[in-house]
Amino acid sequence: MPPTVLYCSTAAVLAVLAVALFACGLRGALVGRAVVAVISGVLLCALMVIAVPLAALCVLEATHPRTSISDGTDGSGLPCPSG
């Protein structure tokens, strides 16, 4: 599996979890359950610490793929120039 797929799929799953945590915390705040709101907020912050760098890696890998010399190609399947 290419790293781009791994980074992007993991970032997408974490984004869905972040939305769910945000909704849970917002609902807890609106109904007066401060403990739920605070716990959801802390978990959301911890999740974002992981999700934001993964999303950045996803974009970086998609726009600037790493080159590979181990299989004799430049990362796109084309042979490396000799020399």
Side-chain angles (χ1 to χ4, degrees):
M1 177 183 316
T4 306
V5 174
L6 180 65
Y7 297 144
C8 294
S9 60
T10 305
V13 168
L14 291 178
V16 170
L17 287 174
V19 170
L21 272 173
F22 180 77
C24 181
L26 185 62
R27 191 183 72 166
L30 290 176
V31 297
R33 295 188 181 189
V35 174
V36 172
V38 169
I39 291 173
S40 294
V42 169
L43 289 175
L44 181 61
C45 288
L47 188 67
M48 295 315 288
V49 166
I50 299 167
V52 170
L54 268 177
L57 278 173
C58 172
V59 172
L60 184 65
E61 281 289 328
T63 56
H64 298 88
R66 287 182 263 177
T67 58
S68 172
I69 58 171
S70 62
D71 62 358
T73 68
D74 65 357
S76 66
L78 298 173
C80 289
S82 57

